[in-house]
Amino acid sequence: MLIKSDLKGKSFLKLLDFTPEQINYLIDLAADMKAQKKSGVPHRIFEGKNIALVFEKTSTRTRCAFEVAAADLGMHPVYLDPQGSQIGKKESIADTARVLGRMFDGIEYRGFGQEIVEELAHHAGVPVWNGLTNEFHPTQILADFLTVKEHFGDLKGKKLVYMGDARYNMGNSLMVGCAKMGMHFVACTNKKYFPNAELVAECKKIAAETGAILEFTEDAIAATKGAHVIYTDVWVSMGEPAEVWEERITDLTPYRVTKEIMENAGAQCRFMHCLPAFHDLNTTVGKEIYDKFGITCMEVTDEVFESEASIVFDEAENRMHTIKAVLAATL
């Protein structure tokens, strides 16, 4: 396991800040650390380090991934939930950053605007890691790309179709990641939900250098033909009002991932989702949506979610391995 020094002390805020070579390095380091963990080889190389996990938005996978990754590396993580931090409320973001930066060797932030994590990084004096903002979710993309490499061997030229609301962190981050890595990215959705035009323009400049292809279409059949990966996410993001469900269901049901969509893509296609997913009625939200709108699933059918083509739990596990690589490389 080789920890390169060029990322030491660097914050991990968005993939736009990293070169394709650096992104590949983090993915390869994650694969190496995953192999060590599977083989029972300890790698507690950061004994005595302490990191703060600031969560303004709760999460199962992100919290568990950071805590297990930190423990495997010998670090001590301290979790600050939405009630446990006064960030931006009783204490400014800058002041919070300067306090935590004096006590911890690194800070994770999961919450709202990208400007918050950027300001934390500006003032902290230690690496800051983006666990999710409204605009970007870079640790998720590393996990996604490790998973794609495990199933297809490499990333270059692979076609990834994102279906659903592509305006926020997942659509944005997958587009950026695919542009950086020379992949074929398709945002397939109602045109109201295409990514921000300014970010699209930036990604097209990157794609011109890497050979990536970026497409934006409302035609689900044309979009998914020959796809290696079909990816989706929940239709209503955390923090949005419940009132938007009706509009999203109306607008995005044509972009639900179904057996027919997967068959149209071809036998090589795999299904991915960053989770949690509304594929059945085994959640409180799922039952509420069924009672109100009469649908048994939302962004993906249970048939697809539970199929052999679904690699969502490989993807979920890889959150921990890729986050571990980020921690190791930046500390």
Side-chain angles (χ1 to χ4, degrees), residues 159 175 184-188 194-195 204 213-217 222-223:
K159 182 178 182 181
M175 178 173 64
H184 182 175
F185 172 81
V186 184
C188 177
F194 284 169
K204 284 184 175 179
I213 298 170
L214 305 180
E215 291 186 273
F216 308 88
T217 181

Side-chain angles (χ1 to χ4, degrees), residues 52-60 63 67 78-91 96 108-112 132 238-239:
L53 308 179
V54 181
F55 278 65
E56 292 197 291
K57 290 183 179 179
T58 58
S59 169
T60 301
R63 177 181 177 179
E67 290 197 353
V78 174
Y79 176 72
L80 298 172
D81 65 17
Q83 286 73 46
S85 167
Q86 298 298 334
I87 183 170
K89 297 187 272 292
K90 293 183 179 180
E91 186 167 46
T96 299
E108 179 272 352
Y109 172 81
R110 178 183 173 93
F112 298 95
L132 173 143
M238 191 181 301

Side-chain angles (χ1 to χ4, degrees), residues 11-52:
S11 290
F12 190 74
L13 308 180
K14 57 186 183 298
L15 291 183
L16 287 168
D17 301 333
F18 290 77
T19 66
E21 293 74 22
Q22 289 171 329
I23 295 169
N24 256 327
Y25 164 69
L26 289 170
I27 295 169
D28 290 345
L29 179 59
D32 189 11
M33 289 183 153
K34 180 176 182 177
Q36 291 191 40
K37 186 174 178 71
K38 298 291 185 183
S39 299
V41 177
H43 38 275
R44 298 175 63 86
I45 55 178
F46 290 99
E47 294 279 2
K49 296 284 188 183
N50 299 284
I51 63 171

